Amino acid sequence: MIGPSQQRGAALLVTLVLVALISLLTLGASETARLQQRLASNELAHQMAFQAAEAALKDAERRISETADLTLFCSGGDAVYPITTQAGLEDDDRWRRLEQQGRAVDLSLYSVEGSELAPPPRYLVGCIAPALIDGYFDTEPVVKGQASESANPRYFFRVFAIGYGPAGQARQRLEARYVF
């Protein structure tokens, strides 16, 4: 049998090893929790940016639909530009300047007593010339009774929108096309 004088420190050594193992497990668990929290925060920021960009698209759609004369609307102005060539339609890079030239959407959610939580979402509206739309001029006249009427002209739009997450840390760009 081993006497107490030969067992000195064995219990202390086992206890220190167990404390070190438990500390490593706790540290690993806290790092995992911190990583999960960071992932959740990033996802929330991206969702907020996406929703803000959607709100900008909705505002552009509302603005277009409430305009009485779309020909006048497409003549240019605040955040509206014409697309008149096929190259302009295919290689439209105005989305790159969206942050500076786009029309800001007024969302009260984005400011608190004069301080902005995030930059407001913005959008640009491109009016696409009918000649660039395949089959646009191939429409048959509308027949009402015995008299034929020409169909109302349609207007085609491309809208670029950008939304921001909290403090502008996340950005989401969207593109939509509308026919009116």
Side-chain angles (χ1 to χ4, degrees), residues 40-52:
S41 294
N42 285 342
E43 179 62 25
L44 177 65
H46 284 287
Q47 285 297 321
M48 288 177 71
F50 179 79
Q51 295 299 327

Side-chain angles (χ1 to χ4, degrees), residues 154-157 177-180:
R154 296 205 179 261
Y155 295 88
F156 301 89
F157 302 94
R177 296 182 185 203
Y178 298 98
V179 178
F180 283 88

Side-chain angles (χ1 to χ4, degrees), residues 70-90:
L70 290 176
T71 304
L72 185 61
F73 177 83
C74 288
S75 65
D78 184 27
V80 177
Y81 64 97
I83 301 173
T84 57
T85 65
Q86 193 67 33
L89 182 62
E90 293 170 0

Side-chain angles (χ1 to χ4, degrees), residues 5 19 21 26 33 35 38 62 76 80-81 96 120-121 129 135 137 159 166 170:
S5 62
V19 167
L21 286 174
T26 305
L35 176 65
R38 202 178 306 153
R62 179 197 53 77
V80 177
Y81 64 97
R96 296 177 195 271
F137 295 108
V159 180

Side-chain angles (χ1 to χ4, degrees), residues 81 91-100 124 160-162 173-175:
Y81 64 97
D91 300 325
D92 192 353
D93 67 346
R94 291 187 190 247
W95 62 269
R96 296 177 195 271
R97 298 184 295 275
L98 185 59
E99 297 171 26
Q100 295 84 25
L124 282 171
F160 292 120
I162 188 169
R173 289 182 177 88
L174 297 177
E175 175 185 346

